[in-house]
Amino acid sequence: MTDAPEIPVRVRAEVAALPPYRQGKQAGAEAFKLSSNENPFDPLPGVLERVQAATALNRYPDAAATRLRERLAERFGVGVDGIHIGAGSVSILAQFVQATSGAGDEVIYAWRSFEAYPWLAVVAGATAVQVPLTADSRHDLDAMADAITERTRAIIVCTPNNPTGPIITQAEFDAFVQRVPSDVLVILDEAYAEFVTDPDSVDGRLVLGGGSRPNVVVLRTFSKAFGLAGLRVGYAIGHPRVLDAARSTAIPLSVTAHAEEAALASLEAEDELLERVREIAERRDRLAGELRAAGWRIPQAQGNFVWLPGGAETLDIAAAFDAAGLIVRPFAGDGIRISVGEEASVDKVLRIAASVVKDLPEGHSGRGLA
Ligand SMILES: *Cc1c(COP(=O)(O)O)cnc(C)c1O
């Protein structure tokens, strides 16, 4: 509960019940900000120049982001109408939930997963159906399929799962989709796809190949691997008519010319960018490996972050990181997500984590071999 003053106008009860949005802490000059899964690298120099040269600020952008759609369509081997651009993939998620789900409809997703999912369902007026993760912090796709009812309109599947880290395999996803009615939308949220190194992982490109799954859409973003979180640009790949439904609910002209230009330039510099991604993935593997060696039970980590199961001690553990100048993302009573940041942050994280784990009680959910 908050002790915020009453809202002076009438708002929907479910909206009034939402905690007001407060952004995570901004890092001080000395601190490492490891709380938002941001890319620690600056954009490539070519990208900055292209953004600076982009269209005059007194003009609206191209509402359809045509050049970026053409470029992505080529890359994924689909028609231009099979790509939809949004101001971040979160805004596309919101569009799909709004397009499919209203009062009385159900949106299924795993929990714990991305913090935006519950909010998206509530704002659309729909009912959120949360299916607990397995003991090893993975999606329980059988339980999610079991949760489908006549009222289910959308199912969000996040891989690698934010904030816990494990992927869903291609075989698991294929078996799951078989169980979903063909008129229920499946949103495959692949915000961290570029960081995945597990060869068994589901790959949205394969899911869409041949168009045999028109009820599946794949979401990707330039915010994480491509390091453009500040410019807000993401995309969906899917059946053109399904994407049309999202386009109909979009706030027009949200994707700026600068965002489009930066995304285009980043795709052109992809080899260099992916080299950085490889570096982050290696850093992640080292971080996860050493945390396990120190006694932490770390689930599979395939994004640009690791998950420390903190249980009831979560906020105390986060305070220890905070005191050391490491801004991490705690989820009270559950665990802590730590982004893979600058090289210099890694040893610092390891040092604090190693000292904290020793204080955890025997049998604690965070202790032991993963
Ligand atoms: C970061 C993230 C997104 C996308 O963020 P945008 O910046 O809006 O593109 C989507 N899904 C998950 C699970 C994320 O972690």
Side-chain angles (χ1 to χ4, degrees):
M1 287 306 289
T2 64
D3 49 12
E6 257 180 58
I7 306 176
V9 296
R10 282 198 255 181
V11 302
R12 287 160 48 201
E14 62 272 29
V15 172
L18 288 170
Y21 182 77
R22 303 270 187 264
Q23 196 175 23
K25 232 185 259 179
Q26 297 297 313
E30 299 293 293
F32 288 109
K33 183 166 181 280
L34 307 175
S35 52
S36 301
N37 293 349
E38 292 154 342
N39 192 316
F41 294 105
D42 291 329
L44 294 167
V47 173
L48 283 181
E49 286 153 21
R50 287 272 293 275
V51 170
Q52 266 159 6
T55 336
L57 290 179
N58 57 320
R59 304 290 177 197
Y60 282 116
D62 166 16
T66 312
R67 289 186 307 143
L68 181 55
R69 283 166 65 214
E70 285 170 354
R71 186 67 218 280
L72 290 169
E74 232 170 76
R75 190 185 148 90
F76 289 104
V78 300
V80 176
D81 289 343
I83 304 282
H84 171 48
I85 311 291
S89 56
V90 172
S91 65
I92 302 179
L93 272 166
Q95 293 161 15
F96 279 121
V97 173
Q98 287 217 40
T100 56
S101 311
D105 298 331
E106 293 171 353
V107 179
I108 298 176
Y109 53 86
W111 199 250
R112 179 172 298 277
S113 189
F114 186 33
E115 298 150 88
Y117 298 158
W119 164 83
L120 291 167
V122 168
V123 169
T127 302
V129 177
Q130 303 188 336
V131 178
L133 297 174
T134 63
D136 48 359
S137 301
R138 311 182 73 235
H139 276 55
D140 187 343
L141 290 175
D142 282 334
M144 289 176 73
D146 290 342
I148 296 170
T149 72
E150 278 182 4
R151 293 194 298 268
T152 305
R153 294 293 175 271
I155 307 174
I156 311 175
V157 174
C158 185
T159 178
N161 188 48
N162 174 9
T164 59
I167 50 109
I168 289 164
T169 68
Q170 188 74 49
E172 286 168 336
F173 187 77
D174 290 343
F176 171 70
V177 172
Q178 292 284 350
R179 290 191 60 191
V180 178
S182 62
D183 60 354
V184 171
L185 179 67
V186 177
I187 303 170
L188 185 62
D189 186 346
E190 293 191 310
Y192 302 94
E194 294 84 355
F195 297 108
V196 171
T197 49
D198 183 335
D200 294 332
S201 173
V202 63
D203 181 337
R205 285 174 300 190
L206 301 181
V207 173
L208 296 171
S212 59
R213 301 253 180 258
N215 63 323
V216 178
V217 294
V218 172
L219 292 193
R220 295 205 176 173
T221 178
F222 287 94
S223 294
K224 309 285 164 51
F226 288 88
L228 296 178
L231 276 170
R232 318 301 307 123
V233 54
Y235 57 99
I237 318 163
H239 189 283
R241 292 293 293 137
V242 175
L243 300 191
D244 282 342
R247 288 188 263 263
S248 297
T249 73
I251 294 172
L253 300 160
S254 302
V255 180
T256 66
H258 303 80
E260 184 182 14
E261 198 62 44
L264 282 164
S266 298
L267 288 169
E268 285 164 26
E270 200 177 9
D271 289 347
E272 283 148 292
L273 276 166
L274 291 182
E275 181 51 40
R276 294 173 170 192
V277 165
R278 263 192 295 281
E279 213 171 314
I280 294 169
E282 283 168 18
R283 213 174 274 174
R284 168 200 71 204
D285 291 345
R286 177 160 71 87
L287 188 59
E290 296 202 18
L291 287 168
R292 288 187 191 112
W296 282 98
R297 195 191 302 268
I298 305 290
Q300 182 192 32
Q302 284 282 295
N304 63 342
F305 52 89
V306 294
W307 174 251
L308 265 57
E313 284 72 28
T314 292
L315 294 184
D316 292 339
I317 299 169
F321 282 104
D322 198 54
L326 299 164
I327 317 286
V328 298
R329 184 74 177 86
F331 297 90
D334 199 353
I336 295 174
R337 189 190 67 201
I338 304 181
S339 308
V340 178
E342 293 79 357
E343 178 62 28
S345 69
V346 174
D347 286 339
K348 228 172 153 180
V349 168
L350 288 170
R351 204 162 55 242
I352 306 303
S355 74
V356 165
V357 75
K358 294 195 189 75
D359 297 333
L360 294 181
E362 212 47 62
H364 185 279
S365 63
R367 275 186 75 161
L369 299 174

